[in-house]
Amino acid sequence: VGILDASTLGKIDIKGPDAAEFLSRVYTNSFLTLACGKCRYGVMLKEDGMIFDDGVCACLDPNHYLMFTTTGGAAQVLAWLELWRQTEWPELRVYCTSVTDHWGTITLSGPDSRRVLEAVCAGIDLDNDNFPFMEWRDAIIAGVDARIFRISFTGELSFEINMPAHHARHIWEALMDSGEPYDITPYGTETMHVLRAEKGFMIVGQDTDGSMTPYDMGLGWVVNKSKEFSFLGKRSLDRSHMLRKDRKQFIGLKTIEGSKMLPEGGQLIFDPEEQIPMSMQGHVTSSYYSPNLNKSIALAIVKSGKKMKGRKLIVPMESKNINVTVTDSVFYDKDNKRLNA
């Protein structure tokens, strides 16, 4: 079991009779059907159809939602929401408030995370049948009122705990004490990045570059395709440029030499003997050594990437070329058995 201080995640409190309608316009999927106590993953696009931010949004009550954004995107997401709320949709009765620094956030991840949390949590059943993935619950943790979100960016069984910021240290120390029998270990964002890469979870701004659509990133399932449903960026997704067969797509890479690490930003080519300028097929967006798999893994965007699986590519380096094979972007636990444990 590991414990992470995730307090820097952006958090925006959204209230009002039209809150669900507002969210359904700024995300690519509908929030009109999201029930209280449940969470939903969403992707935001700019008007050009390119991914702008992503995150989980929870329904606290019918007119009250809590939106989680990327850490670096919190301020610009709030500005984006206010731009549309004030200038384009002033008829919507909805109010947005930044609460990033109001809430401390602690994430427990791993097979023993449920046992650690049970030891300090009162009045709530954490069993998978009563508290499934993508739901949230009010709880009292170490004597403090808190919210527990059953969401995961590591691919492991995880509980994300929100508490008033001034109680964060108290709850952290209580969890460390209850986790001592399980060798609880604090971990940081670098470890989290390795874990999410094993699961093929993208990071906006690292695996995207302002030119990627949800379809490019394998997120077509999060786009509502109903003709009656409209959201920011929807019209742009039907432009001819967006429908090209050779668009760059999100894929995984395995090095032929399992221990060889790829450089992030490294270009991908077919033929190292090709005359300059070479035909670049894409580039490496994330690269790590995976202790779970005991080899290096990488994520990349490659032209027609989904059709390239099994193909060999080359990352040209100054001293030596690195041979790679295009794979699926999910390297570990494809059936989500650990996440749904």
Side-chain angles (χ1 to χ4, degrees):
V1 58
I3 183 170
L4 168 74
D5 179 3
S7 300
T8 56
L9 277 175
K11 295 173 277 287
I12 301 174
D13 195 80
I14 299 175
K15 289 183 178 179
D18 297 318
E21 171 64 24
F22 179 72
L23 290 169
S24 297
R25 295 186 187 185
V26 298
Y27 282 122
T28 61
N29 48 346
S30 175
F31 281 75
L32 295 169
T33 59
L34 185 63
C36 295
K38 294 187 179 293
C39 308
R40 183 164 291 168
Y41 173 73
V43 172
M44 289 184 193
L45 310 181
K46 283 293 185 76
E47 301 103 312
D48 59 5
M50 306 304 181
I51 293 174
F52 168 54
D53 203 81
D54 73 334
V56 170
C57 190
C59 180
L60 305 184
D61 72 36
N63 299 321
H64 190 188
Y65 296 79
L66 183 62
M67 173 191 289
F68 292 94
T69 75
T70 58
T71 295
Q76 57 184 343
V77 168
L78 180 61
W80 179 247
L81 299 180
E82 287 294 341
L83 170 68
W84 288 88
R85 186 187 73 83
Q86 295 182 37
T87 65
E88 301 297 329
W89 307 319
E91 75 283 1
L92 294 184
R93 296 163 296 168
V94 60
Y95 309 94
C96 306
T97 306
S98 173
V99 293
T100 299
D101 58 354
H102 296 199
W103 298 98
T105 303
I106 297 173
T107 301
L108 280 177
S109 295
D112 288 325
S113 57
R114 184 180 283 116
R115 297 185 181 91
V116 172
L117 187 54
E118 283 174 338
V120 295
C121 188
I124 181 173
D125 186 351
L126 299 176
D127 183 81
N128 194 50
D129 293 332
N130 296 301
F131 191 177
F133 183 59
M134 293 303 279
E135 294 194 3
W136 73 271
R137 300 284 188 272
D138 282 318
I140 298 175
I141 302 175
V144 176
D145 290 332
R147 294 190 187 118
I148 303 174
F149 299 85
R150 177 81 191 278
I151 54 183
S152 176
F153 194 50
T154 62
E156 295 288 332
L157 170 66
S158 292
F159 298 92
E160 201 163 284
I161 307 160
N162 274 18
M163 74 295 295
H166 57 283
H167 288 298
R169 179 171 178 173
H170 166 70
I171 291 182
W172 177 280
E173 291 174 347
L175 291 169
M176 288 296 291
D177 289 341
S178 66
E180 190 172 348
Y182 305 99
D183 294 327
I184 191 169
T185 302
Y187 68 98
T189 52
E190 185 66 19
T191 298
M192 181 183 68
H193 284 194
V194 175
L195 292 166
R196 67 89 196 174
E198 290 175 343
K199 291 291 294 180
F201 295 155
M202 72 165 185
I203 293 180
V204 174
Q206 177 164 336
D207 299 302
T208 67
D209 60 0
S211 68
M212 307 301 291
T213 72
Y215 297 110
D216 297 335
M217 301 303 292
L219 296 173
W221 57 271
V222 83
V223 178
N224 190 315
K225 301 174 181 66
S226 169
K227 290 184 178 180
E228 292 75 28
F229 185 79
S230 184
F231 55 83
L232 286 173
K234 182 176 183 179
R235 286 188 302 171
S236 295
L237 294 178
D238 292 326
R239 290 185 299 156
S240 59
H241 172 68
M242 301 296 208
L243 303 175
R244 284 169 39 195
K245 301 296 184 183
D246 65 342
R247 284 190 61 83
K248 292 180 180 178
Q249 296 173 330
F250 190 51
I251 50 86
L253 296 174
K254 290 183 179 178
T255 55
I256 305 302
E257 302 174 47
S259 61
K260 200 74 173 178
M261 286 280 290
L262 297 176
E264 292 184 351
Q267 295 294 311
L268 294 157
I269 62 172
F270 281 127
D271 182 7
E273 302 301 324
E274 182 183 1
Q275 288 189 339
I276 295 175
M278 293 179 170
S279 302
M280 301 300 179
Q281 302 304 308
H283 70 276
V284 179
T285 59
S286 299
S287 179
Y288 309 98
Y289 179 80
S290 166
N292 282 317
L293 301 172
N294 195 29
K295 59 184 175 184
S296 66
I297 59 173
L299 299 170
I301 52 173
V302 172
K303 291 180 181 178
S304 305
K306 299 302 180 185
K307 296 181 180 179
M308 292 281 289
K309 290 179 184 176
R311 293 283 301 274
K312 301 291 190 295
L313 289 172
I314 294 169
V315 180
M317 301 296 293
E318 186 174 4
S319 58
K320 182 182 179 182
N321 294 329
I322 304 176
N323 298 303
V324 298
T325 303
V326 178
T327 69
D328 187 76
S329 57
V330 182
F331 296 94
Y332 187 67
D333 189 33
K334 292 187 178 184
D335 297 328
N336 290 326
K337 291 181 179 178
R338 300 178 70 87
L339 184 145
N340 291 309

